[in-house]
Amino acid sequence: MAPMAVFQTSFLLALLPLSAHQSEVSSEPLSLNVSISSAQQRLHLKWSVHNLTHPELKMAFQIEISRINKSNVIWVENYSTTVQQNQTLHWTWESELPLECATHFVRIWGKEDDAWAPHQRVWSSWSSWVKVDAQSLLGQGPPLVFPIDKLVEEGSNVTVCYVSRHSQSNVSCLLHGQRIPREQLDTHVSVFTLTNVSFISTWGSNFYCENDPDIIAGAEPGTVLFVSKVLEEPKGFSCETRDFRTLNCTWDPRSDTDLPKYRSQRYALFESFSGKTKSCEQKNWCTWQVAQDSQMYNFTLIAENYFRKRSVNLLFNLAHRVHPMTPFNVLFESVSTANATMTWKVHSLGNFSTFLCQVELHGEGRAIQHNASSQVDGQYFFSGLAPATEYAARVRCAAKHFWKWSEWAGQNFSTLQAAPSKAPDVWRSVRSTLGSCNVTLFWKPLSKSQAHGEVLFYNVATEFLGRPSSSKLFSIPAPATGTELSLDGCSHKIRVTASNSAGTSPASVMAIRDPGNQTAEVKEERIQGTEDGVSMSWKPPPGDVIGYVVDWCDGPQESSCDLQWENLGPNATSTIISSDAFRPGVRYNFRIYGISPESTAYLLERKTGYSQELAPANNPRVNISNLTQHSFTLSWEDYATDSQPGFIQGYRIYLRSKAEQCPPEFTKADLPDNSEGCKHDIDNPEQKTFVVENLQPESFYEFLVTPRTRAGEGPAHPFGKVTTREQHAHALIRTILPMVFLLLLLTVLCYVKSQWMKETCYPDIPDPYKSSVLSLLKPKENAHLTIMSAHDCIPDKLEVVNKPEGIKAQFPGARKSLAETDRTKHDYIYLLPTEKSSVGPGPGICFENLTYNQAAPDAGFCGPVPAPHTAPPGMGGLLTAPGNLLRSLEPSYMNSSGETPAGETTLNYVSQVASPTSGHKDSPPTNSLELAPRSEYRMQMAIPPGLASPSPNENSSLSSMSFLGPGEHRG
Amino acid sequence: MLACLCTVLWHLPAVPALNRTGDPGPGPSIQKTYDLTRYLEHQLRSLAGTYLNYLGPPFNEPDFNPPRLGAETLPRATVNLEVWRSLNDKLRLTQNYEAYSHLLCHLRGLNRQAAAAELRRSLAHFCTSLQGLLGSIAGVMAALGYPLPQPLPGTEPTWAPGPAHSDFLQKMDDFWLLKELQTWLWRSAKDFNRLKKKMQPPAAAVTLHLGTHGF
């Protein structure tokens, strides 16, 4: 339905005059007829004036246009014209609002406007309102958007309306996705004003509305706005002729929207002298036929599109707009080694037969330009050309009244060959061995300007100086750059020439002599490289020289020498040698020869140097020696100074330690790794050892030895590490080692003589016969010296010894070794004087041989009395003390078995007999116990009354038993 | 050799020797038609994206779903599922053939209007492919012994620029043409897949004769 409605709207509104809506009343002075053009949004008014008083009358009209209702006048137009009888007058009004958006009303009135008219300034009555209602044609279809597919100019404002029979509260419209504010015109019409519309696409910008689908289903109205860019004035409008028959006009059309649906901007040429106009088919050029009799032209280029018209003028004389055609038939005549003649032709231009031509010659890397006046046939003579050289020549021409050059027309040609103009630059290397002479000749290819053609071969003629007739000739084909000759003797003269197809060059002559040992005789000097090359100078020799030659090897190795040389004049004493082959950090050796008038070369000086010195790439490998408490020696003897990328100027030694002070020879410096340290410079490159002194003992040092060249130091790594020796270590070693040795010697001696030592110093059983006492007694009683037998001994005293240690010895864990117990016996067992020393009433006497009985009573059987060392032991004390002690002891220590525990013994009878079978004094207690049966004495006990019976509650027998081993209870 | 084997495996369902009797029957043609449909679906995705971008918003917005106003002349691809299931092979193929005949005609009209040269090339290429699909469907119908639908006199699908159409409605028609084409290709893939399964012989009777491929 919608397309049909649009169809009807477009066609009916555009084509049909709205006669149905007009009110034409014959009684009215003016009959008004209104038609509409929907696409252009225009109202076309037509009216005629009834009953004109004169055949021709000047009249004024006023037109009123109302919108929506008659009272809403939106436009009043005053229009004056001359009206004739039965003339229909026209006036058009363009609405900014699409006419489908609202009903419009039109009416008109008029008056006579002539000064002489009788009814001047008296308005006629208004015509009836003519209603223009395009909406009524839309019917009840879906909502629509107007205008339909409008073409607008970029930057303009466009009013769009949305017409619907439904409520429009929820309608929302967008232009290319951008929402546009809505304005309600009436209940069914919403208006949207699009301001400053911009070009987006040649497919147009879509304006579309989104309805609430609940209210209006199946409708998505929209329209497409085609935006045309603003037409610009053409630039660069120009016309010219190449043949005096056609003018070709060109221009730059600038921007063009080029909408596919709408015709693009159009261009037309108007020539004012002839009054002719031509519509141009192209957008940027147009042709115009030249009239035979026209010399002056005044063109107007008119550019036009739907909205605008632009124009640009151009006035010119045809003779001043001649752009000649490209010259043709370019040829060369009489080409020789140095000259050539170029000829060409120019297209005829009627009366214009003289041209200004420009000739250009390219060759030898340069271009030469000449101007030449020319007729239709032109020519130019080139001279001073180089032989055997290819040239490119070209020509272009312009009319006498210069407007534009024609295009170039060119041709290549080559001059003829000539004999080489210069002798080859030759150098040699001579080696003499056993009377023969090996000569290697080198020559440089002649330059193109010297060769004058392709060199085909080189001629080498040798002549022995002693015999001029013995010459030999060698021919070496090009492009060889050298040859090797083996000559009989070195005294030869050598001539070298180059030949091409046109002739032979002058000869390069040199005399060869035995070089001898020149190289060893001449001392080598060091030179420095500069930015320009390696600079060197030399002293002129005393004799005459006709020139100098400096030669060197471009290659780094002797095997890949690539000998180079440079010839210098006789006045030269210095030069700068540069070569693309020179590499930084490579040492080159130069030899300077003087050339004598006899063409003999003599070695004058030898130079060695770098084009650019580099810092050493590696540091020497450093050995450490002579490490002491305060110094160490660094050495790098194997460092090759000659094979470095620069002349070694010396070495720098960096030292890093925890000490704040530097050794005396060093100065404080920032180390290459930005840490602080010390440095010392060695300026002699041949000094490859250094003693670092005045160091702290037992200190850690890091050092780096790096060579120095003009370009800088070697790498900042790696640092070596060394720790100085300890201060007293040496002395200690010198003292301790002999001592240890002596100690070992003594130990060995002692071991070897142990038996003797024992017998001598500490026998197991002292031999009375060997006693020293005997030696003392001998002088007095030398007759009968006998040893008292035990059988003969009648005891007369008994000493009672109270030995609290025995109690002490009963504590668990208190079973010390006998040796230990024995050591204490001497403190607590006393040999008491008989009778006189007896203090107490009880029997408390003990005979004890201090050398003999240590082992017999063990700690339990004969415990020492814990009396103070100084206090004299008394019987009372001895008797009471055990009781007191026992009371203080645990009950468990009271033996209830009827056996007498050793610790409880208060009376101890100790034999004083020295048993022959008695063992070592350190014998275990069991052995000592065995002494009892063999002895004449038995242990007896005097039990105090208070201790006679054990406590009834005593139950510690087990523990007591466990404490005392069975062995200890025997006997 | 490997490429040949891959080709064989890829087209295994279409191997003519899969037929019990040795007569390839319509199976390969259906498979080819199905493959072409899937290829066209892929091709159209790219083409439609470009074309709708030319049309501009709202046509290139993913959720744009306008009423089918001016597209009554386009054959509808949407159909009730039960109705679609109940279609016999002849009717199914006939509908496809008729639909693509109409769509191809409209598509050529679209190509004539297109201003951008690149777009015109893409459209022309797609039209050629669609013409191929039409021929492929005709081949299947012929293999099955169905006659091609004869256009009624005066109903030959032609394209003529509608003078009454506004540019906006024309854009809407273009949108619907591409949309219907997309739906038809989707539906055709289902149609030919269904036909393909229907034409496949029982698995037990399948004998693979690779000799036809040179093995």
Side-chain angles (χ1 to χ4, degrees), chain A residues 696-709:
Chain A
Q696 295 294 321
E698 203 179 353
S699 296
F700 176 73
Y701 289 92
E702 288 180 281
F703 63 86
L704 175 72
V705 178
T706 178
R708 288 181 290 120
T709 67

Side-chain angles (χ1 to χ4, degrees), chain B residues 44-188:
Chain B
L44 182 63
R45 257 196 294 278
S46 164
L47 174 68
T50 310
Y51 195 90
L52 294 179
N53 272 336
Y54 272 114
L55 295 184
F59 302 102
N60 60 352
E61 289 169 358
D63 54 348
F64 182 60
N65 188 23
R68 206 169 181 275
L69 286 177
E72 284 87 357
T73 55
L74 292 175
R76 274 181 190 275
T78 49
V79 65
N80 183 279
L81 185 62
E82 289 306 317
V83 174
W84 179 76
R85 279 180 180 156
S86 65
L87 289 173
N88 60 31
D89 296 345
K90 183 184 175 186
L91 195 55
R92 191 181 300 278
L93 288 165
T94 304
Q95 284 186 0
N96 270 276
Y97 186 85
E98 287 177 341
Y100 288 116
S101 301
H102 280 83
L103 290 168
L104 181 61
C105 177
H106 283 90
L107 206 59
R108 283 178 176 150
L110 201 70
N111 192 15
R112 278 192 285 272
Q113 295 177 96
E118 182 63 32
L119 189 61
R120 266 207 303 277
R121 272 195 293 276
S122 298
L123 278 166
H125 178 62
F126 188 80
C127 283
T128 310
S129 302
L130 201 61
Q131 182 71 57
L133 177 63
L134 206 56
S136 193
I137 296 170
V140 173
M141 292 179 76
L144 291 171
Y146 303 142
L148 285 180
Q150 294 297 319
L152 292 173
T155 60
E156 182 75 28
T158 53
W159 182 88
H165 265 43
S166 71
D167 286 299
F168 192 78
L169 289 176
Q170 185 59 53
K171 285 186 175 183
M172 197 81 92
D173 288 355
D174 294 351
F175 174 86
W176 270 107
L177 173 60
L178 295 172
K179 188 167 183 177
E180 280 298 351
L181 199 51
Q182 213 157 29
T183 318
W184 263 111
L185 287 169
W186 180 82
R187 175 180 160 175
S188 296

